[in-house]
Amino acid sequence: MEALFDVTLLSRLQFAFTAMFHYFFVPLSIGLGLILAIFETKAYRSRKPEDAAAAKFWVKIFTATFAVGVATGITMEFSFGTNWADYARFVGDIFGAPLAAEALFAFFLESVFLGVLVFGRNKVSPKFYMISAWLVFAGSCLSALWILIANSWMQTPAGAELAVDGSKAVITDFFAAAFNPTTIPRYGHTVTAVLTMGSFTCMAVGAFYLMKGRYLEFAKKAVKVGAAAGLASTLVLLVFAHSSAVVVSEEQPTKLAMMEGMYESEAPPLYLFGWVDEENQEVITPFAIPGGTSFLATGTFDTEFPGLNELAETEKYGDMVVEDLPVNFVFQSYHLMVAMFGLIVVVLALAFLALRKERVANNKWVQRLLVVSPAFPFVAIQAGWLTAEMGRQPWVVYPSTTGPDGVSLLTTQGVSTSVTGVEVAITLALFALVYLLLFVAWIRLVTGFIKKGPEVEAIEGSASESAASAGVFTTGFGAGAASSDEAQVLGQKASDPVLAGAGKGGE
Amino acid sequence: MDATIFQVLWYFLIFVLIAGYFVLDGFDLGAGVLYPVLAKNESERSVIRRSIGPVWDGNEVWLLTAGGALFAAFAPAYATTFSGFYLAVMLVLFGLIVRAVSLEFRAHDPAWARLWDVCFTVGSLLPALLLGVAVGNIFAGIPMDAAGNYAGVPLLGLITPFTLLTGVLGLVMFLAAGASWIALKAPKPSALQERAAKLRMPLQVAALVLFAVVTAYVFLVLKPEMAAALGAVRVVFAVAFVVAVAAALFFGVKKGCDLGSFIAQSAAAVCLVALLATSMFPNLVAASAASAGPAITLMSAAAGETTLLWMTIFTVIGLPLVLLYHVIIYRTFRGRVEA
């Protein structure tokens, strides 16, 4: 019973579950935010009804996704106080400020201009509307920056020292703390990864219509925009992924050792896949490139890195019990992420082939692959975060190589002492229920949008001239409370005063 | 230990953020609770939803900002309350989650309209009621251990006659703001607008009565120590609260001026938070008589001066931007919602 209601374990599970769920919607929101802004810009420039319809289509999918991201994001901000009170007390001086800054600088920006996107299509000028789309995207990127600052500080603390009474970490140098050794590489890595996922989602929607033979013009455009944005994102991603790995090798030796299953000190080889036999402390794999990882990290094949057993002997990492470390878990997550990158490259290559050769574009298997392709960056993103977060265990504030003395905290020391395991078990169950509801509702909604497609409606120019149709379109994408089909009919027949009048009941 | 200027500044800035939340999300939470009461058909429900649609998200960010700022400036107070009130905070959280999603999904999901309506109302009611209960607890005092952890009974331990009173006072203030907002934004003339304007009056009277009861309870039963230097300020805010509610009543009933009534109602909400801040000073979380640990004060909980300096810099840059965004959104969607 006691083990079942272990408050640290349950709190970690709850954090993992709520964060991973949240982090399905965040990458989609940021990624599709860019896609949406691109389509809005196109629509603004061309003023063509089909471009406007395409942009409107993305607004619908984007806002439904964004809403779930916002809702589940509140959980994350609250969780540091609810479940990790002792952590909050220890890091409050440093960790709280980025969270407050995120709300102040990013959330207000996003939420206000999202309001414009959802309800303001006919209330503001087309230019302002287009700018609003870019501002929402900028806000979400800014939001990611503050969160990455906060999280990176937990990975590689800097600009701080232990308070005289030892009770908490206090800030000594704001810029050193904000731009600690991992902030920039990890921010770049994160943003390019989520943009890849958004681009692939755009491409997948296009491929879906190619497969169904509907909205072919839009479909081709979506594959093209998605492939181009995807290629740009992954190219930049490579740079940041590499620098993230390098900085792990420099700053987080136990994480590096877990990623490569290194129990003993060695020049780490490069495995494509394998299995860590934790009992016998060895990696089982059919082949390995000797010194390969060493080469990637340092440029030489024979740079030795310390293994877990050696690290556990040191004062800095002495709290670590090698037998309890999730070595295989971290190894698998890391290699899964890398494997997914391989698939991402394949998808991109096929997408560009499809854009050039009609035959490839019409191939059912290529289309199917493109439709499921957002799963690859999604799995890579989740696996990457699992590597980052599990790889720093057993610490929640990691004692990095260049980190200030004493500024570290074991995960078990961070958990709330006034919360019982039973309480966390109750809320974990509630989260499972509520989030399941959200997920089902989101799927229903988004598949509905996709089925309905980027239908050209009588919008913008014509709508604003007609007083009758203004009632239908005033609230932009909010249209169609009573029935979205009804709104569409009305859109097409906006000149019919009887129908248009009926539409006023809708949103 | 004397408080520094930054500490005092941040103490009051936290309450400024709370006041911003109480005023802005106040009306949309209130509108959510009144949604099934005031709206009699689909078109009226649509009016209420659209009246808050473009603004509720930004309003809610005030809560996130207040939470983040409390974490940054007074981490022990954030840690103690959020973990101590665990199940209550989670109920507020679940309320906010389903409410946020219901507002965005409702218009596109006619098949699940009933479910989203329930989510909207219940999701509004939970925070509207529980936030007042939480404030009652930190004002009246909670039991804490020496490390500052809540040491009382989970959830049920937070409910006392006083905290119920503050919870209901908070709820009634939310409802009065909600009714005022709907009266201001619904098409005029319309049955919905009339119903909201009519309901506004008894809610405001109830707020006055509950305010008197809570004040009497504080002075006759709780008798907390209050900072003597702020005595006159407290009197000013208490009087201002009563005047503001009376003005809201006057504008609403006598003049039929919905904007004036809404502004006066909002001013009353600000006065109430100001009164709370000046009554609690310098406490952030008061300790009950049975508490082993001391109260959490702005001196004991404040972050270091470097952190507070940077937070102040953030605020100086960020707050004007935030106000600008609000001007943009409220101007864009000014006037009454179309039927």
Side-chain angles (χ1 to χ4, degrees), chain A residues 94 149 152-161 169-183 251 397-398 400 402-404 407:
Chain A
I94 298 149
I149 284 177
S152 293
W153 188 86
M154 299 162 74
Q155 306 278 353
T156 49
E161 64 185 13
V170 292
I171 205 160
T172 53
D173 178 344
F174 171 79
F175 282 104
F179 297 98
N180 62 68
T182 48
T183 303
E251 292 285 345
V397 179
Y398 185 83
S400 63
T402 60
V407 180

Coordinates of all heavy atoms in Angstrom, one line a residue, chain A residues 94 149 152-161 169-183 251 397-398 400 402-404 407:
Chain A
I94 N 14.8 32.1 -8.4 CA 15.2 32.1 -9.8 C 14.2 31.6 -10.7 O 14.0 32.1 -11.8 CB 16.5 31.2 -9.9 CG1 17.6 31.8 -9.0 CG2 16.9 31.0 -11.3 CD1 18.5 30.8 -8.4
I149 N 14.3 28.8 -20.6 CA 15.2 29.4 -19.6 C 15.0 28.7 -18.2 O 16.0 28.3 -17.6 CB 14.9 30.9 -19.5 CG1 15.5 31.7 -20.7 CG2 15.5 31.5 -18.2 CD1 15.2 33.2 -20.7
S152 N 16.2 25.0 -18.5 CA 17.6 24.9 -18.6 C 18.4 25.2 -17.4 O 19.4 24.6 -17.1 CB 18.1 25.8 -19.8 OG 17.6 25.3 -21.0
W153 N 17.8 26.1 -16.6 CA 18.5 26.5 -15.3 C 18.5 25.3 -14.4 O 19.4 25.0 -13.6 CB 17.8 27.7 -14.7 CG 18.6 28.1 -13.5 CD1 19.7 29.0 -13.5 CD2 18.5 27.7 -12.1 NE1 20.2 29.1 -12.2 CE2 19.5 28.3 -11.4 CE3 17.6 26.8 -11.5 CZ2 19.6 28.1 -10.0 CZ3 17.7 26.6 -10.1 CH2 18.7 27.2 -9.4
M154 N 17.4 24.4 -14.5 CA 17.3 23.2 -13.7 C 18.4 22.2 -14.1 O 18.8 21.4 -13.4 CB 15.9 22.6 -13.7 CG 14.8 23.4 -13.2 SD 13.2 22.8 -13.8 CE 13.0 21.4 -12.8
Q155 N 18.7 22.3 -15.4 CA 19.6 21.3 -16.0 C 21.1 21.7 -15.7 O 21.9 20.9 -15.3 CB 19.5 21.2 -17.5 CG 18.0 20.9 -18.0 CD 17.7 19.4 -17.9 OE1 18.6 18.6 -17.6 NE2 16.5 19.0 -18.1
T156 N 21.3 23.0 -15.9 CA 22.7 23.6 -15.7 C 22.6 24.9 -15.0 O 22.6 26.0 -15.6 CB 23.3 23.8 -17.1 OG1 22.4 24.5 -17.9 CG2 23.7 22.5 -17.7
P157 N 22.4 24.8 -13.6 CA 22.3 26.1 -12.9 C 23.5 27.0 -13.1 O 24.6 26.5 -13.2 CB 22.2 25.6 -11.4 CG 22.0 24.1 -11.5 CD 22.5 23.6 -12.8
A158 N 23.2 28.3 -13.1 CA 24.3 29.3 -13.2 C 23.8 30.6 -12.7 O 22.6 30.8 -12.4 CB 24.7 29.5 -14.7
G159 N 24.7 31.5 -12.4 CA 24.3 32.8 -11.9 C 23.6 32.8 -10.6 O 22.8 33.7 -10.3
A160 N 23.9 31.8 -9.8 CA 23.3 31.6 -8.5 C 24.2 31.1 -7.4 O 25.3 30.6 -7.8 CB 22.1 30.6 -8.6
E161 N 23.8 31.2 -6.2 CA 24.6 30.6 -5.1 C 23.6 30.1 -4.1 O 22.5 30.5 -4.0 CB 25.6 31.6 -4.5 CG 24.9 32.8 -3.9 CD 25.9 33.8 -3.4 OE1 27.1 33.7 -3.8 OE2 25.5 34.7 -2.6
A169 N 18.3 28.6 -3.2 CA 19.3 29.2 -4.2 C 18.9 30.6 -4.4 O 17.8 30.9 -4.5 CB 19.2 28.4 -5.5
V170 N 19.9 31.5 -4.4 CA 19.6 32.9 -4.7 C 20.4 33.3 -5.9 O 21.5 32.8 -6.2 CB 20.0 33.8 -3.4 CG1 19.0 33.6 -2.3 CG2 21.4 33.6 -3.0
I171 N 19.9 34.3 -6.5 CA 20.4 34.8 -7.8 C 21.6 35.7 -7.6 O 21.6 36.5 -6.6 CB 19.3 35.4 -8.6 CG1 19.6 35.4 -10.1 CG2 19.1 36.9 -8.2 CD1 18.3 35.6 -11.0
T172 N 22.7 35.5 -8.3 CA 23.8 36.5 -8.2 C 24.0 37.2 -9.5 O 24.4 38.4 -9.5 CB 25.1 35.7 -7.9 OG1 25.3 34.7 -8.9 CG2 25.1 35.1 -6.6
D173 N 23.6 36.6 -10.6 CA 23.8 37.2 -11.9 C 22.7 36.8 -12.8 O 22.6 35.7 -13.3 CB 25.2 36.8 -12.5 CG 25.5 37.4 -13.9 OD1 24.5 37.9 -14.5 OD2 26.6 37.3 -14.3
F174 N 21.8 37.8 -13.1 CA 20.6 37.5 -13.8 C 20.9 36.9 -15.2 O 20.3 35.9 -15.6 CB 19.7 38.7 -13.9 CG 18.5 38.5 -14.8 CD1 17.4 37.8 -14.4 CD2 18.5 39.0 -16.1 CE1 16.3 37.6 -15.2 CE2 17.4 38.8 -17.0 CZ 16.3 38.1 -16.5
F175 N 21.8 37.6 -15.9 CA 22.0 37.1 -17.3 C 22.7 35.8 -17.4 O 22.4 34.9 -18.2 CB 22.8 38.2 -18.1 CG 22.0 39.3 -18.5 CD1 22.0 40.5 -17.8 CD2 21.1 39.2 -19.6 CE1 21.2 41.6 -18.2 CE2 20.3 40.2 -20.0 CZ 20.3 41.4 -19.3
A176 N 23.6 35.5 -16.4 CA 24.2 34.2 -16.3 C 23.2 33.1 -16.0 O 23.3 32.0 -16.6 CB 25.3 34.2 -15.3
A177 N 22.2 33.4 -15.2 CA 21.2 32.5 -14.9 C 20.2 32.2 -16.1 O 19.9 31.1 -16.4 CB 20.4 32.9 -13.7
A178 N 19.8 33.3 -16.7 CA 18.9 33.2 -17.8 C 19.5 32.5 -19.0 O 19.0 31.7 -19.6 CB 18.4 34.6 -18.2
F179 N 20.8 33.0 -19.3 CA 21.5 32.4 -20.5 C 22.6 31.4 -19.9 O 23.7 31.6 -20.2 CB 22.0 33.5 -21.4 CG 20.8 34.2 -22.0 CD1 20.5 35.5 -21.4 CD2 20.1 33.7 -23.0 CE1 19.4 36.1 -21.9 CE2 19.0 34.4 -23.5 CZ 18.6 35.6 -23.0
N180 N 22.1 30.4 -19.2 CA 23.0 29.4 -18.6 C 23.5 28.6 -19.8 O 23.0 28.7 -20.9 CB 22.2 28.6 -17.6 CG 21.1 27.9 -18.1 OD1 21.2 27.0 -18.9 ND2 19.9 28.3 -17.8
P181 N 24.4 27.7 -19.5 CA 25.1 27.0 -20.7 C 24.2 26.2 -21.6 O 24.5 26.1 -22.8 CB 26.0 26.0 -20.0 CG 26.3 26.6 -18.6 CD 25.1 27.3 -18.3
T182 N 23.0 25.8 -21.2 CA 22.1 25.0 -22.1 C 21.0 25.8 -22.7 O 20.3 25.3 -23.5 CB 21.6 23.8 -21.3 OG1 21.0 24.2 -20.1 CG2 22.6 22.7 -21.2
T183 N 20.7 27.0 -22.2 CA 19.5 27.7 -22.7 C 19.4 27.8 -24.2 O 18.5 27.4 -24.8 CB 19.5 29.2 -22.1 OG1 19.5 29.1 -20.7 CG2 18.2 29.9 -22.5
E251 N 28.5 19.3 -19.7 CA 27.9 19.8 -18.4 C 27.2 18.7 -17.6 O 27.0 18.9 -16.4 CB 26.9 20.9 -18.7 CG 27.5 22.2 -19.2 CD 28.2 23.0 -18.1 OE1 27.9 22.7 -16.9 OE2 29.0 23.9 -18.4
V397 N 17.2 19.6 -9.6 CA 18.1 20.7 -10.0 C 19.5 20.0 -10.1 O 20.0 19.5 -9.1 CB 18.1 21.9 -8.9 CG1 19.2 22.9 -9.4 CG2 16.8 22.5 -8.8
Y398 N 20.0 20.0 -11.3 CA 21.1 19.1 -11.6 C 22.4 19.7 -11.2 O 22.7 20.9 -11.5 CB 21.1 18.7 -13.0 CG 22.1 17.7 -13.4 CD1 21.9 16.4 -13.3 CD2 23.4 18.1 -14.0 CE1 22.9 15.4 -13.6 CE2 24.3 17.2 -14.3 CZ 24.1 15.9 -14.2 OH 25.0 15.0 -14.5
S400 N 25.5 20.4 -12.3 CA 26.2 20.4 -13.6 C 27.7 20.7 -13.3 O 28.1 21.2 -12.3 CB 25.6 21.4 -14.6 OG 25.8 22.7 -14.1
T402 N 29.9 22.9 -14.4 CA 30.3 24.2 -14.1 C 29.3 24.9 -13.1 O 29.4 26.1 -12.9 CB 30.4 25.1 -15.3 OG1 29.1 25.1 -16.0 CG2 31.4 24.5 -16.3
G403 N 28.3 24.2 -12.6 CA 27.3 24.8 -11.8 C 27.9 25.2 -10.4 O 28.9 24.7 -10.0
P404 N 27.2 26.2 -9.8 CA 27.7 26.7 -8.5 C 27.6 25.6 -7.4 O 26.7 24.8 -7.4 CB 26.9 27.9 -8.2 CG 25.7 27.8 -9.1 CD 26.1 26.9 -10.3
V407 N 24.3 24.3 -5.3 CA 23.0 24.6 -5.9 C 22.5 23.3 -6.7 O 22.7 23.2 -7.9 CB 23.1 25.8 -6.9 CG1 21.8 26.1 -7.6 CG2 23.5 27.0 -6.1

